[in-house]
Amino acid sequence: MNRLPKIDIDELRKAKEENFKERLEFLDSYANWVKNTSNAKWSSAHKSIVNRK
């Protein structure tokens, strides 16, 4: 008989909230980087990401 692992729903909710908060903080810092970085540097950084295989 297969037994399912015991899952703590409150722990999952807390992890989800923390993850969401970290994403928002990252987006804020990234938006600030884009605003405060020259177009040439910003464009070069994005080109390397887009062309990554």
Side-chain angles (χ1 to χ4, degrees):
M1 178 178 207
N2 290 338
R3 297 192 74 150
L4 296 175
K6 193 171 188 177
I7 298 173
D8 184 345
I9 298 298
D10 291 331
E11 203 172 297
L12 286 175
R13 282 188 185 120
K14 183 178 177 185
K16 182 180 176 183
E17 288 174 12
E18 289 175 7
N19 182 277
F20 184 71
K21 181 181 174 185
E22 287 177 11
R23 285 184 190 185
L24 290 179
E25 289 171 356
F26 169 78
L27 289 173
D28 284 342
S29 67
Y30 186 72
N32 285 329
W33 178 80
V34 170
K35 288 177 189 176
N36 297 313
T37 303
S38 70
N39 286 343
K41 185 174 181 180
W42 182 92
S43 177
S44 176
H46 279 73
K47 180 180 176 184
S48 68
I49 293 170
V50 170
N51 293 332
R52 208 181 281 176
K53 289 186 178 184

